[in-house]
Amino acid sequence: MLLQNWWYTTLLNSKTDYCPPLKEHMETDVLVVGAGMAGLHAALRLVEAGKNTVLVERNICGGSSTGKSAGFLTPDSELELHQILRRYGLEDGAKVWNIAVEGVKRVVANVTQYQMKCDLLEQDSLFVGLGKAGKKSVYEEAAAFQKIGYPTQVYEGAALKRINPGKGYMAGIRTGKTYAVNPLLYAQELKRILVQKGVRIYEGTPVTHMEGHKACTHMGSVTAKNIIFCIDKMRPTVSRISEQVYHAQTFLTISEPLDPNEIKQLFPEGDFMCWDSKLVYSYYRLTGDKRILLGGGSPLTTFLPLDVTSPTVIKRVIRDFKNRFPFLKHQEFMQYWPGRIDTTKDLVPIVTHDPKSPYIQYVLGCVGLPWATFCGDYAARKVLDPTLQSHDKFLRIDRPFFVPMPLQKLMGKMTAFSFNILYSKYFQKNRKRSA
Ligand SMILES: Cc1cc2nc3c(=O)[nH]c(=O)nc-3n(C[C@H](O)[C@H](O)[C@H](O)COP(=O)(O)OP(=O)(O)OC[C@H]3O[C@@H](n4cnc5c(N)ncnc54)[C@H](O)[C@@H]3O)c2cc1C
C-alpha cells in the first residue's frame, strides 16, 4: 500500500491553478489565514459582502485536514445527537445540531450554484451499533432524532441484513439529507470561485508571526483591518490560544474499484455512508468511481502527540472490514494516509476574538467539515456585523471545561484532552448557563 492521499491523485484531473506564494507587502480590509473549509467559507462570505479580502494558506487550499478527510457531509460528528441533547437540553441542543445542518446546506448550495466538479453524491447515512452497547446507542440516537423531529429509520435483524450484510451489526439508524464529496476538489473549486470574485489568494505561504495588524510571512506581509485565523496545528508563536486545541489522529484508505456484483453484495438496496459505534469508530462509503473509502483508527494512536505514518493501524481496520464482509476478502486497498483533526477539549469549536487584539478572531477546533464551514462563515459575519452574537453562547472560549487550564498544565495536553473529551461525550449534562 502506498502512503499517499488519494484526493491528491484526483487533482490531476482538475483544472484549478496554483496561486503562487506571497512575495510583497500589501494592505487589505480583511485577511483570512488558513484555507481549509473554515477559511474558504470565511473568505466567500467577505468577498460577497464587498470586502477587499486576502487569503493566505501554508499548503494548497484544502491541503490539511479538509483535503485529507473522508468527505462525509453529515451533521453527525464526534458528538452524536443524543450526546448533544444531553449536554445542552432540547432547545439549545437543536440549535447546536443546526450549526452542522447549516454547514451541510451551505456546501451543497455552493456546489449547485457554482456547478463545482467535486464528486458530490447524495448518500444517506447509516450509523450501525456493534453488540448490545452499540444497539443501545442506536436507539438513543433514534429517540434524540424523534425529539427534534428529524426523520429516521431504525433497522434490526433481517431488515438490517437486507441493507447491510455486515457481521456483528445489531441495529442501525438511517438518516437522509446527507452527502459525500471529494473534499480536496471542493476546496480547490471554491478557490477558483474566490479568485474569480476578486479574493487575492496565496498558497505555499505560512504566516509565521504577527506584528499588530501585520501578518508576516517568509517573503511578504499583509496588513489588515481585521484578521481571521482558521489554521490548524497552531504554534504558540502565532498565539498562546494554541493551548486550547489539540488533535485526534485517524487514517483512511482507498480500494481499487468494485465491480457491480461486489457493490450489490455490499449495498444490496443502494449505497450509503456508514460508521459504527466503537469509541474509535470505523467508517466507509463508496466514491463516485466506485471505490471503497475506508477509515478508522486505534485507541492508542488517536491522541498520540506524534504523527503515525506506518500502515499498522489502517491494516487492522482493513482486516476488520474484510471480516465483516468476507465476500470482499480479495479486495485490494491501494493507498492510505493519516490525518489529524484539531479539536477543543469538549469537541465543540471555539470562535473568539483575541483578548488583547480584538481585530483578530480565531476559529479553532472544528471537528467536521460542516462545523468548519459554519464557523468560518460565522467569524466572517461577525466582521461584517460586530454586534452579531447568535452562537457565541456555544462557541465562546470562556465556557467551563471539565479539565480547567491550570490542571491541564499539570496533566499535560494529551491526558487533559483525552479525559475532557471522554467526559464531554459520555457524561456532560445540561446545566443552566448564562448566555
Ligand atoms: C482522515 C480524516 C478524515 C476525516 N473525515 C471527515 C469526514 O468524513 N467528514 C467530516 O465532516 N469531517 C472529517 N474530518 C474532519 C475535517 O476534515 C475537519 O474537521 C475540517 O476539515 C476542519 O476544517 P478547518 O478549515 O477548520 O481546518 P483545516 O482543513 O485543517 O484548515 C486549516 C488550514 O490552515 C492552514 N495553515 C495552518 N497553519 C498556517 C499558517 N501558519 N499560515 C497559513 N496557513 C496555515 C493549513 O495548511 C490548512 O489548510 C476528517 C479529518 C481527517 C484528518
Side-chain angles (χ1 to χ4, degrees), residues 65-305:
S65 310
T66 295
K68 291 176 182 165
S69 77
F72 286 46
L73 270 183
T74 127
D76 266 293
S77 62
E78 299 305 306
L79 283 174
E80 287 150 27
L81 178 62
H82 72 272
Q83 295 166 341
I84 291 178
L85 296 191
R86 186 191 62 226
R87 178 159 152 194
Y88 292 97
L90 183 56
E91 197 182 323
D92 278 353
K95 282 187 195 153
V96 171
W97 175 257
N98 273 327
I99 289 178
V101 172
E102 287 304 316
V104 173
K105 283 187 187 159
R106 182 121 179 107
V107 173
V108 174
N110 285 340
V111 175
T112 313
Q113 182 179 350
Y114 300 114
Q115 300 184 344
M116 295 177 173
K117 293 192 176 62
C118 55
D119 200 17
L120 182 80
L121 307 164
E122 187 162 1
Q123 282 179 337
D124 284 359
S125 295
L126 185 74
F127 168 54
V128 282
L130 285 163
K132 279 190 189 154
K135 185 171 167 180
K136 188 168 162 247
S137 288
V138 165
Y139 279 95
E140 280 172 339
E141 256 327 67
F145 275 112
Q146 201 174 17
K147 279 186 194 156
I148 64 162
Y150 204 94
T152 60
Q153 203 169 347
V154 175
Y155 297 84
E156 259 197 74
L160 179 61
K161 283 272 172 275
R162 269 201 299 280
I163 61 162
N164 185 336
K167 287 185 181 170
Y169 298 143
M170 299 280 283
I173 174 168
R174 186 172 189 152
T175 47
K177 294 193 194 134
T178 59
Y179 301 81
V181 72
N182 176 326
L184 188 54
L185 281 183
Y186 177 77
Q188 288 286 312
E189 285 280 277
L190 193 45
K191 170 178 83 172
R192 184 173 58 78
I193 304 300
L194 291 174
V195 170
Q196 275 171 14
K197 286 179 181 282
V199 178
R200 286 170 287 167
I201 301 185
Y202 300 93
E203 296 179 297
T205 306
V207 166
T208 51
H209 63 282
M210 296 296 299
E211 291 173 6
H213 281 261
K214 184 158 80 169
C216 303
T217 69
H218 180 50
M219 284 187 285
S221 68
V222 185
T223 303
K225 292 189 196 102
N226 289 282
I227 298 162
I228 306 177
F229 272 94
C230 300
I231 68 176
D232 62 337
K233 305 174 188 76
M234 188 189 281
R235 301 224 174 106
T237 47
V238 173
S239 167
R240 298 295 305 169
I241 216 164
S242 60
E243 284 304 312
Q244 302 285 348
V245 269
Y246 191 59
H247 59 261
Q249 186 162 212
T250 176
F251 299 80
L252 279 174
T253 182
I254 189 94
S255 76
E256 291 194 352
L258 269 59
D259 70 31
N261 253 339
E262 292 163 334
I263 295 172
K264 190 80 190 150
Q265 279 180 290
L266 185 59
F267 300 108
E269 293 188 2
D271 62 341
F272 43 74
M273 306 184 287
C274 189
W275 62 95
D276 67 35
S277 58
K278 287 198 300 272
L279 174 60
V280 181
Y281 55 90
S282 296
Y283 45 102
Y284 62 90
R285 71 173 176 91
L286 208 56
T287 60
D289 62 351
K290 311 298 178 203
R291 298 167 189 273
I292 305 166
L293 181 67
L294 170 65
S298 79
L300 205 66
T301 49
T302 299
F303 292 121
L304 265 192

Side-chain angles (χ1 to χ4, degrees), residues 87-88 241 243-245 343-351 364-365 393-408 416-417 419-421 423-424 428 431 433:
R87 178 159 152 194
Y88 292 97
I241 216 164
E243 284 304 312
Q244 302 285 348
V245 269
T343 173
T344 63
K345 270 189 285 196
D346 63 3
L347 295 168
V348 171
I350 289 173
V351 178
L364 301 170
K393 175 173 169 179
F394 311 117
L395 305 174
R396 64 200 231 184
I397 194 168
D398 60 350
R399 58 188 187 246
F401 292 103
F402 178 58
V403 180
M405 195 51 81
L407 191 55
Q408 177 179 320
F417 272 70
F419 267 115
N420 206 133
I421 284 173
Y423 168 76
S424 295
Q428 193 168 352
R431 292 207 182 89
R433 58 189 66 207

